[in-house]
Amino acid sequence: MKKKVLLGKREIKKGVKKLAYELNNDYSDKSPVLVGILKGAFIFMADLVRELSFPMRIDFISVSSYGDRTRSSGVVKITRDISVNIEGEDVILVEDVVDTGLTLSFIYDFLKRKNPNSLKVCALLEKKVERTKRFKIDYRGFWVPNKYVVGYGLDFGEKLRNLDKINTMEF
Ligand code: IMP
Ligand code: MG
């Protein structure tokens, strides 16, 4: 297995700042609830919220998806629900990477049923892949090639989340 740097520290920082700039514009007079998807989004979420200038609440949701190590199956189970009541609230779902989009669209529908006032999606990375189901990402950090990526929260078999750069893995 070989790793290759795809996005370095400075580039990631620029991408996070760009997303924060957009969110700061759109939510300047609001007080949304940010919901991070564990575990992958934890580093991105931590960096992002420190660039935001509006009042907010922060929560996390955790899911397990039944697939192999590098492919998602779309069969998702909520293993930790949010604890903030989001009924009537503006909610921003924060995700590390959108691949098939199956995980995100499951969580999106799950949160939608809690009747938030609005529900938007902010993803650091979106892979360039053909999707059976279209999914709208409201705030996207980077388009990335359809390769397995690790680091900055993203894992390979639960490891490599701590890498400070985003790398592609060659198998
Ligand atoms: P999706 O359902 O195919 O969009 O992918 C769901 C989840 O799989 C994401 O939330 C990630 O946590 C994980 N994932 C997808 N692609 C990658 C990757 O390239 N590296 C690490 N995790 C990934
Ligand atoms: Mg994830």
Side-chain angles (χ1 to χ4, degrees), residues 73-107:
S73 65
V75 185
V76 179
K77 205 179 104 195
I78 307 287
T79 54
R80 184 214 182 264
D81 197 354
I82 51 171
S83 55
V84 171
N85 180 6
I86 60 165
E87 189 175 345
E89 303 292 338
D90 297 305
V91 177
I92 306 167
L93 197 46
V94 180
E95 172 66 313
D96 51 1
V97 57
V98 182
D99 183 1
T100 63
L102 292 169
T103 305
L104 199 54
S105 88
F106 181 91
I107 297 171

Side-chain angles (χ1 to χ4, degrees), residues 87-137:
E87 189 175 345
E89 303 292 338
D90 297 305
V91 177
I92 306 167
L93 197 46
V94 180
E95 172 66 313
D96 51 1
V97 57
V98 182
D99 183 1
T100 63
L102 292 169
T103 305
L104 199 54
S105 88
F106 181 91
I107 297 171
Y108 185 93
D109 294 342
F110 177 79
L111 293 181
K112 199 82 186 167
R113 287 198 290 275
K114 296 180 188 278
N115 295 316
N117 178 56
S118 67
L119 181 55
K120 301 283 182 190
V121 174
C122 173
L124 180 64
L125 310 175
E126 179 172 2
K127 288 192 193 177
K128 281 205 170 116
V129 292
E130 288 288 330
R131 303 224 169 83
T132 41
K133 196 173 166 187
R134 269 304 303 155
F135 196 85
K136 186 169 174 281
I137 295 162

Side-chain angles (χ1 to χ4, degrees), residues 129-171:
V129 292
E130 288 288 330
R131 303 224 169 83
T132 41
K133 196 173 166 187
R134 269 304 303 155
F135 196 85
K136 186 169 174 281
I137 295 162
D138 304 284
Y139 305 92
R140 176 192 313 101
F142 301 92
W143 282 106
V144 293
N146 188 13
K147 287 185 176 160
Y148 201 78
V149 287
V150 295
Y152 198 69
L154 293 147
D155 74 306
F156 175 66
E158 289 302 328
K159 292 189 177 133
L160 305 176
R161 292 190 196 277
N162 59 306
L163 300 178
D164 57 5
K165 304 178 185 82
I166 295 171
N167 304 262
T168 54
M169 298 258 301
E170 314 279 341
F171 296 98

